[in-house]
């Protein structure tokens, strides 16, 4: 199931345009940063809509405070790669789904140690495609450098990679077949690139469905007594 | 001289804005391909858009098999052609035209 985990729908009234485009290009669902009553819903067109939150704040402490409140209300939780402390903390917390290269122009690449931790906890590296669409020439080559280095580090460290559009307009969304070709530009082979588009987002959705259930616990926690 | 293997790709161009013609499309793909991979790659690609229906925004492009993935990646990164915003979607690839129409 090809899903786009990062579509920047600005308002609810624009949602129909994005849903229509998703159906046209062959996506089965996408995640939006809008508050919805259910973390995962299905539209009449059969498109799966997921809620997404990008945890941004000043350092790990701020992110830690936000996380417990939102996990059961949100299907995709992403933490931008910026501060090393926050990134390393997020890479260890399996409530987080994605580490995002949010500002490729600032040349933040993922560190090997962070990628290893994230790989062990099933957290994927998210590569947004929109910056590649907005730029050209030298600016685009700088972004490609950051992306290619990060993708290589993630794959070598056993971390999954997800390609998402980061589209703020429907026309900036890309078909899954176009997305995996862009993955080849990021240094992946065909098989890996298809996996990033068709399999990894689907696995994140399935895991999310389990996480948002109230009976779900983080690995390592055991129920020792239940009050009846 | 080694015989070049060709690939044919059925594609759809989603657009917002006025229709574009085959020359504009082919120039836009070549320009992006040139920017990403250089002059030698463009020369080797043998890109040719044989068919393009601007009512349905679908077409068939042909190219050298070795350049196929790079070429489609370049096309996928095109956002606008003239005043028309576009999103390129490769549908199916085949080694023969007949295979594509099947």
């Amino acid at each position: 199931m090809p899903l786009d985990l990062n579509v920047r729908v600005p308002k609810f009234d624009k949602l129909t345009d994005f849903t229509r485009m998703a159906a046209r290009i062959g996506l089965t669902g996408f995640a939006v940063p809008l508050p919805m009553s259910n973390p995962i819903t299905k539209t009449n067109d059969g498109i799966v809509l997921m809620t997404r939150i990008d945890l941004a704040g000043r350092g790990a402490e701020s992110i830690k405070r936000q996380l417990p409140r939102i996990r059961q209300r949100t299907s995709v939780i992403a933490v931008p790669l910026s501060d090393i402390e926050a990134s390393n903390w997020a890479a260890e917390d399996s409530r987080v789904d994605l580490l995002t290269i949010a500002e490729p122009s600032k040349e933040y690449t993922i560190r090997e140690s962070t990628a290893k931790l994230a790989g062990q906890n099933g957290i994927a590296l998210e590569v947004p495609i929109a910056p590649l669409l907005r730029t050209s020439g030298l600016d685009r080559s700088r972004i490609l450098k950051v992306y290619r280095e990060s993708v290589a580090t993630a794959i070598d460290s056993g971390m999954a990679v997800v390609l998402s559009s980061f589209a703020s307009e429907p026309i900036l969304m890309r078909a899954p077949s176009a997305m995996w070709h862009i993955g080849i530009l990021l240094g992946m082979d065909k098989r890996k690139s298809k996996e990033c588009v068709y399999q990894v987002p689907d696995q994140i959705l399935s895991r999310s469905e389990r996480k948002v259930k109230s009976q779900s616990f983080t690995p390592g926690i055991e129920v020792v007594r239940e009050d009846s | 001289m080694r015989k070049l293997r060709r690939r044919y790709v059925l594609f759809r161009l989603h657009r917002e804005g006025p229709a574009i013609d085959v020359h504009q499309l082919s120039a836009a793909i070549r320009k992006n391909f040139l920017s990403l991979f250089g002059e030698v790659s463009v020369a080797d690609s043998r890109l040719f858009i044989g068919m393009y229906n601007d009512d349905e925004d679908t077409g068939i492009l042909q190219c050298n098999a070795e350049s196929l993935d790079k070429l489609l990646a370049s096309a996928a990164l095109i956002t606008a052609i003239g005043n028309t915003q576009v999103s390129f979607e490769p549908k199916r690839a085949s080694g023969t035209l007949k295979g594509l129409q099947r």
Side-chain angles (χ1 to χ4, degrees):
Chain A
M1 273 212 321
L3 299 161
D4 189 338
L5 296 183
N6 197 353
V7 177
R8 313 308 287 182
V9 181
K11 293 183 215 155
F12 270 111
D13 54 0
K14 299 273 178 200
L15 196 56
T16 322
D17 299 338
F18 283 88
T19 314
R20 215 173 286 144
M21 183 66 178
R24 262 168 53 197
I25 61 178
L27 285 172
T28 54
F30 58 92
V32 290
L34 296 172
M36 292 194 286
S37 51
N38 290 318
I40 301 165
T41 48
K42 209 166 194 178
T43 64
N44 295 335
D45 311 332
I47 299 289
V48 177
L49 290 180
M50 297 165 281
T51 50
R52 173 195 168 106
I53 283 186
D54 292 82
L55 288 181
R58 291 193 194 138
E61 278 308 315
S62 156
I63 293 174
K64 273 185 214 174
R65 273 199 302 275
Q66 297 173 58
L67 194 53
R69 284 181 285 126
I70 56 166
R71 180 63 269 187
Q72 289 186 347
R73 290 187 282 120
T74 314
S75 42
V76 181
I77 294 180
V79 173
L81 274 173
S82 52
D83 174 36
I84 294 169
E85 193 198 351
S87 305
N88 277 350
W89 171 81
E92 279 184 307
D93 194 318
S94 54
R95 289 174 295 180
V96 173
D97 299 301
L98 301 169
L99 283 176
T100 308
I101 311 176
E103 292 174 285
S105 54
K106 288 194 179 166
E107 304 207 1
Y108 287 125
T109 53
I110 191 162
R111 294 156 68 96
E112 204 181 316
S113 52
T114 311
K116 276 189 179 149
L117 282 173
Q120 285 159 10
N121 290 298
I123 298 164
L125 176 74
E126 183 186 45
V127 184
I129 298 307
L132 292 174
L133 303 180
R134 281 197 299 262
T135 51
S136 61
L138 258 183
D139 291 337
R140 184 162 63 187
S141 88
R142 277 192 203 104
I143 295 169
L144 278 170
K145 170 186 164 266
V146 172
Y147 282 179
R148 286 170 68 91
E149 279 180 16
S150 298
V151 166
T153 307
I155 291 173
D156 290 347
S157 311
M159 187 183 185
V161 179
V162 173
L163 301 178
S164 54
S165 70
F166 204 72
S168 52
E169 291 170 51
I171 197 71
L172 294 177
M173 292 170 88
R174 288 293 177 267
S177 53
M179 283 288 242
W180 74 255
H181 278 100
I182 295 174
I184 288 174
L185 279 183
L186 307 182
M188 288 184 270
D189 60 27
K190 245 184 203 180
R191 189 190 56 81
K192 190 79 194 167
S193 190
K194 282 184 177 176
E195 194 183 296
C196 297
V197 175
Y198 293 97
Q199 286 172 25
V200 182
D202 199 29
Q203 288 161 1
I204 290 172
L205 172 66
S206 322
R207 225 178 38 221
S208 250
E209 280 174 329
R210 288 199 301 274
K211 283 180 190 171
V212 295
K213 285 180 188 160
S214 56
Q215 299 94 329
S216 167
F217 296 100
T218 307
I221 292 178
E222 183 189 359
V223 179
V224 289
R225 193 188 64 184
E226 269 189 271
D227 288 336
S228 52
Chain B
M1 192 181 145
R2 199 157 58 95
K3 197 183 168 196
L4 288 173
R5 283 185 307 132
R6 277 200 192 130
R7 281 287 177 275
Y8 297 86
V9 182
L10 175 68
F11 67 88
R12 183 164 181 200
L13 196 71
H14 304 275
R15 67 178 164 88
E16 268 177 22
I20 52 165
D21 65 40
V22 65
H23 303 293
Q24 289 174 297
L25 175 60
S26 145
I29 298 175
R30 271 205 188 91
K31 191 179 161 200
N32 222 12
F33 192 50
L34 175 71
S35 164
L36 283 162
F37 298 102
E39 293 168 17
V40 176
S41 299
V42 176
D44 286 347
S45 72
R46 305 280 181 107
L47 167 67
F48 176 67
I49 300 179
M51 261 187 263
Y52 183 66
N53 179 338
D54 52 11
D55 291 330
E56 292 175 10
D57 296 312
T58 55
I60 293 175
L61 67 79
Q62 57 171 283
C63 66
N64 171 10
E66 281 162 24
S67 308
L68 177 70
D69 290 334
K70 289 176 177 177
L71 198 74
L72 295 181
S74 310
L77 286 183
I78 299 172
T79 48
I81 301 173
N83 292 324
T84 308
Q85 281 194 292
V86 297
S87 175
F88 182 91
E89 179 189 1
K91 289 275 198 191
R92 217 167 51 235
S94 174
T96 60
L97 256 179
K98 216 174 183 181
L100 207 57
Q101 286 156 347
R102 220 176 275 152

